[in-house]
Amino acid sequence: GSIALVYENNQLVRGATRGNGQEGEEMTANARVIRSIPLSTDFEKHGIHKVELRGEVLIRKDNFEKINAARAELGLSLFANPRNTATGGLRMKDPREVADRGLEAFLYTLSYATDIDGNNKLDEIDTHYESMDMLASLGFKIPVDGVERKLCNNIKEVAEFCLSWEMGREEYAYEVDGMVVKVNDRRLQERAGF
């Protein structure tokens, strides 16, 4: 499931599902029990006071099998697939049950960042890769450089990377339904739109 996280003064203050892109559901208590989401981290060392991050919450395939095996023993209906199980987990009312699902959050995007005076800090980050490296240094789970993500020099390299993933997708620990290709230059991203 898609998530948005807001940190203010280095603290996680809000978690929400992305919903339909315009409106999501608040799920801060659930975000707090997902182990790969830091409750606090040092955004201030980058001059960032308030920031919104976007990403996905996933369940490893082996963990999904364990969850279904436990449900089968209890005579409960089985979950259909890891994606729905992760999305459903985000919406659960009891954070303890969310913790039991072993959800993991991968963060992909800095969508908003300001300093203490409200000035835009995204302007100081030239590339998407730079923002991903920043998130990694702050303790967030991001796709592994050279394995799950690659900085490509041209569209031929992009196509080759996508094809290599298509060949090996069944061996990957998570369900993959496709690749995301991003323009690295933030200014070009803004010009291209969403």
Side-chain angles (χ1 to χ4, degrees):
S2 299
I3 55 159
L5 303 173
V6 176
Y7 285 78
E8 198 164 348
N9 196 27
N10 289 336
Q11 307 297 313
L12 175 65
V13 295
R14 190 171 307 112
T17 64
R18 286 221 309 267
N20 61 12
Q22 298 295 319
E23 199 173 315
E25 286 175 58
E26 194 271 345
M27 42 134 295
T28 307
N30 290 350
R32 289 183 185 282
V33 298
I34 297 173
R35 285 194 300 273
S36 56
I37 296 177
L39 298 178
S40 65
T41 189
D42 196 4
F43 279 108
E44 295 283 352
K45 80 175 178 189
H46 298 282
I48 295 172
H49 178 69
K50 187 171 185 180
V51 62
E52 182 187 271
L53 314 176
R54 302 226 169 156
E56 296 284 331
V57 170
L58 306 172
I59 293 179
R60 289 177 59 94
K61 290 189 279 194
D62 57 355
N63 191 31
F64 173 74
E65 297 301 331
K66 284 181 198 159
I67 291 168
N68 263 349
R71 289 181 68 83
E73 273 186 40
L74 295 170
L76 299 171
S77 62
L78 302 186
F79 292 129
N81 58 60
R83 178 175 290 270
N84 290 358
T85 307
T87 302
L90 287 177
R91 296 194 167 93
M92 295 175 86
K93 301 290 181 236
D94 186 345
R96 287 169 302 188
E97 289 185 49
V98 177
D100 288 345
R101 286 209 183 176
L103 303 178
E104 295 175 66
F106 281 83
L107 279 301
Y108 303 123
T109 305
L110 275 171
S111 58
Y112 172 91
T114 57
D115 66 15
I116 199 152
D117 298 316
N119 300 309
N120 183 6
K121 296 294 287 181
L122 290 182
D123 287 345
E124 296 173 20
I125 303 168
D126 292 328
T127 67
H128 180 69
Y129 231 71
E130 202 180 317
S131 67
M132 297 285 280
D133 288 340
M134 178 200 295
L135 291 176
S137 75
L138 292 169
F140 292 94
K141 189 177 185 78
I142 67 163
V144 176
D145 191 14
V147 179
E148 299 163 337
R149 68 181 170 121
K150 181 181 179 187
L151 183 58
C152 298
N153 295 304
N154 53 56
I155 200 67
K156 183 175 182 286
E157 284 185 22
V158 171
E160 286 168 358
F161 189 64
C162 289
L163 285 170
S164 71
W165 262 91
E166 188 176 18
M167 308 276 276
R169 73 191 288 181
E170 293 307 316
E171 284 76 56
Y172 189 50
Y174 304 87
E175 270 193 356
V176 177
D177 62 358
M179 302 295 286
V180 175
V181 179
K182 292 193 175 187
V183 173
N184 194 36
D185 184 298
R186 290 189 66 86
R187 282 155 196 81
L188 287 178
Q189 274 186 11
E190 285 166 20
R191 280 176 59 194
F194 296 100

